[in-house]
Amino acid sequence: MNYYPRLKTKYNEEIKLKLKQKFRYECIMQIPKLTKIVINQGINRSIYEKKTLNHAIENISLISGQKAIFCKSKRDESGFQLRKGTPISVKVTLRRNRMYEFLDRLINIALPRVRDFNGVNKKSFDGKGNYNLGIREQIIFPEIIFPEIKKDLKKNIGMNITFVTTAEKDKEAKYLLYLFGLPFKK
């Protein structure tokens, strides 16, 4: 028995056809698709505390459903009191089925839980078809238990979510994410 995420099935059955009709692609391989989602969380305070680093890894792993890794500094920075090889952020790269499952949970569960939510910024494209979404509070995800975070950390930690697509233009990538259900501001 094969399992296919809901958004993957939707992409294969509906979204591909709509993209082909709107942009008039001649070849099926020209149709843009979502290749990966990268979740990154910077750890800007108390990077030398093991407890903070472990909680960051646990939280991102819970949110994504996949083990997160540390990103270490590449050089010494005396202004930031940073040494080479010190962990400064946590990231995870999602592909295939986990990517579609995370996108589904983000759109249908997490984003509606944002306080005073009006939609995501439609100007956060990088010019090459990739989209960056900044989230200020990680507690919008139901996997995160708020009382545990409050006693361990003094402040909520945000994260950056990058959607990498094969689209060549931002207009194509925006329409692709819109068809997936990402709510853009009007």
Side-chain angles (χ1 to χ4, degrees), residues 5 8 34-39 64-66 69 91-103 162 164:
K8 186 175 185 178
L34 194 61
T35 56
K36 65 182 175 180
I37 296 176
V38 180
I39 306 168
S64 65
Q66 181 174 314
I69 62 168
K91 80 169 186 174
V92 65
T93 303
L94 302 172
R95 289 184 172 88
R96 298 180 197 86
N97 288 346
R98 286 190 181 155
M99 170 185 67
Y100 288 109
E101 290 170 359
F102 173 78
L103 181 61
T162 304
V164 180

Side-chain angles (χ1 to χ4, degrees), residues 5-16 18 178-181:
R6 189 173 62 92
L7 286 182
K8 186 175 185 178
T9 306
K10 182 179 179 182
Y11 173 76
N12 289 328
E13 294 176 359
E14 299 173 21
I15 296 175
K16 272 187 180 180
K18 289 181 182 178
Y178 170 75
L179 290 176
F180 273 123

Side-chain angles (χ1 to χ4, degrees), residues 62-78:
L62 279 173
I63 289 169
S64 65
Q66 181 174 314
K67 179 81 167 122
I69 62 168
F70 290 118
C71 293
K72 297 181 179 181
S73 63
K74 295 180 181 177
R75 60 181 176 266
D76 295 338
E77 287 290 335
S78 62

Side-chain angles (χ1 to χ4, degrees), residues 111 114-125 131 133-134 136 174 178 181-186:
L111 287 179
V114 174
R115 198 173 343 153
D116 300 330
F117 183 68
N118 296 325
V120 296
N121 189 2
K122 57 184 171 183
K123 296 180 181 179
S124 294
F125 288 93
Y131 182 72
L133 172 66
R136 293 185 182 165
K174 182 179 176 186
Y178 170 75
L182 200 64
F184 289 104
K185 286 182 185 175
K186 299 202 179 187

